[in-house]
Structures are given as structure tokens and as C-alpha cells.
Amino acid sequence: MTTVHVAPEVNLVMDPMSGLVAAEREDVISYSMDPILEQLDELDKVADDMVNSLSPNMPLLNSNPGREHTSYYAGIISNAFYGIIVGLIFATIIIIALYAMGQFGGGL
């Protein structure tokens, strides 16, 4: 519980979060919010991690230290690879088209 017994002989309790002192009664049930607050803190970390995943410069929750720019460099390398592949395919199509039209290589 998050209550402190101030004077057990007169049943006075204090809530340390608000500083409220009141009489302890048998008909009032109070629940501890500590486990719920811990779960909310964990969900807050996960939500921040989801927002950080949108930026290539922010560290992720489960990543090792020093890997802030990993997704940035991976994006550059993968885009360069796909650019080279598309460029080679496009150049091959142009060479085949020029060869077929007889403009390239003297025409066979």
C-alpha cells in the first residue's frame, strides 16, 4: 500500500503522494497503483521507441550502444544497390534496342 500509518491508535493514515491525512475506515477499499504505474512507464518506453524508429538517427530500445546511424547507412547502401541494378537493366534494354535498330555495331 502507499499509505503510512501516522497514528495507529486513532487509525490515522497519510497518503505520501498527496500529503492527505485521514481516518482509516473499514468500509473503504484502497488499491495500490504502483504496479499499474510501472506498466504505464514500460508502455511509455515502448511508445517512445516507436517514435524513435521513424528517425534514422535515434537509438532504438533494444539496440546496442553506438548504433544510432545504422539504419541511415543501411538505407544508403540498399538504395545504391537498387539504383545500380535498375541502371544496368535500363542500359541493357537501351543497348539491345539500339542493336536491334542497326544503329550500334554496324548491323549484322
Side-chain angles (χ1 to χ4, degrees):
M1 283 291 175
T2 58
T3 58
V4 177
H5 290 279
V6 177
E9 60 274 355
V10 290
N11 294 332
L12 285 179
V13 293
M14 181 181 84
D15 182 15
M17 298 298 260
S18 64
L20 179 69
V21 176
E24 185 177 28
R25 297 182 358 194
E26 294 293 327
D27 60 336
V28 176
I29 299 173
S30 67
Y31 292 103
S32 175
M33 298 298 285
D34 291 337
I36 295 172
L37 293 176
E38 290 174 7
Q39 290 178 351
L40 285 175
D41 289 340
E42 186 67 29
L43 286 175
D44 190 36
K45 288 179 188 176
V46 171
D48 287 341
D49 188 47
M50 289 179 69
V51 171
N52 288 345
S53 70
L54 299 174
S55 173
N57 298 329
M58 299 296 292
L60 299 177
L61 188 62
N62 291 331
S63 67
N64 293 329
R67 295 194 176 191
E68 289 83 16
H69 299 285
T70 304
S71 57
Y72 175 74
Y73 294 131
I76 288 175
I77 292 170
S78 64
N79 286 335
F81 175 76
Y82 288 131
I84 289 171
I85 295 298
V86 169
L88 288 174
I89 291 171
F90 186 68
T92 303
I93 290 172
I94 289 177
I95 289 173
I96 290 173
L98 289 175
Y99 185 74
M101 291 189 308
Q103 301 291 326
F104 187 70
L108 288 174

